[in-house]
Amino acid sequence: LSGYWYEAARAPKVDVLECLNVLVPAAIENNTFSLQLDYITTVTGGWEPTKESVQFPWTNSTQHGIFSLEYDQVTVTYKLAYTNYSDIAIVCGYSTISNIPLYKFFSRERQMSQEQIAFINVYIEKYGIADQIYWEEQSPAKCNGSALQAPLTILIGFIAILWGLGVV
């Protein structure tokens, strides 16, 4: 499973992050399984690129694909529900503050193939979550922050024009 995985879809749709990419290590170091997360946080209504590392002790649970994250008084537990080890992985989870199940669908590619989408559609229909699914856009233009560069370029150009006219 080592390498990059891109979040392709999730259920339910939550407005806290976009463009989630996960780097899974090739080896366990010091009895710790570390995931490198790269995403855009949208918690405050903004668009802020974020990188973080999440560590899990290499226990029997972790070795069987069960991961628990603790945030203050909330625990979120995820389980690797399915993978074909090459290009698709499905993670399901739950938290201590909600009885709504969480699903994350990952792909090795930024954009899923039609076969992968069809596979996920069968899965979400089977588990009754089709109406809750949110398909993630992982385009480089959106996820590399370049979507923010166009307005910045326009602003800098406008300031340069004003500077040239002696207004600024």
Side-chain angles (χ1 to χ4, degrees):
L1 286 175
S2 66
Y4 275 101
W5 290 89
Y6 299 92
E7 182 184 41
R10 70 167 101 61
K13 181 183 183 327
V14 289
D15 293 326
V16 293
L17 63 89
E18 296 283 337
C19 304
L20 173 61
N21 303 324
V22 180
L23 176 58
V24 178
I28 304 304
E29 294 183 15
N30 301 320
N31 276 338
T32 301
F33 181 66
S34 297
L35 296 176
Q36 301 301 313
L37 308 179
D38 188 1
Y39 58 93
I40 306 291
T41 183
T42 59
V43 172
T44 60
W47 189 264
E48 186 176 326
T50 305
K51 293 178 186 274
E52 67 177 292
S53 179
V54 181
Q55 287 83 31
F56 303 93
W58 192 239
T59 64
N60 190 43
S61 291
T62 312
Q63 293 172 29
H64 288 95
I66 301 171
F67 310 93
S68 291
L69 297 168
E70 308 225 359
Y71 303 98
D72 295 325
Q73 298 178 0
V74 177
T75 300
V76 180
T77 301
Y78 289 102
K79 179 170 179 37
L80 180 62
Y82 171 84
T83 185
N84 63 4
Y85 294 97
S86 61
D87 63 358
I88 194 166
I90 301 172
V91 176
C92 62
Y94 60 90
S95 76
T96 56
I97 61 169
S98 173
N99 61 355
I100 299 172
L102 310 168
Y103 295 89
K104 292 189 174 286
F105 302 86
F106 291 94
S107 172
R108 291 285 192 178
E109 302 296 325
R110 286 186 178 272
Q111 300 299 319
M112 295 186 86
S113 69
Q114 290 304 314
E115 294 81 20
Q116 291 171 317
I117 292 170
F119 179 86
I120 288 177
N121 281 329
V122 168
Y123 187 93
I124 63 178
E125 287 293 332
K126 177 179 176 180
Y127 289 98
I129 58 169
D131 61 335
Q132 301 171 33
I133 198 79
Y134 171 71
W135 293 96
E136 177 72 60
E137 179 190 339
Q138 284 277 357
S139 69
K142 177 183 178 189
C143 296
N144 288 342
S146 61
L148 300 175
Q149 292 178 353
L152 181 60
T153 303
I154 292 168
L155 177 62
I156 291 172
F158 183 68
I159 291 172
I161 290 170
L162 291 176
W163 184 272
L165 295 173
V167 177
V168 177

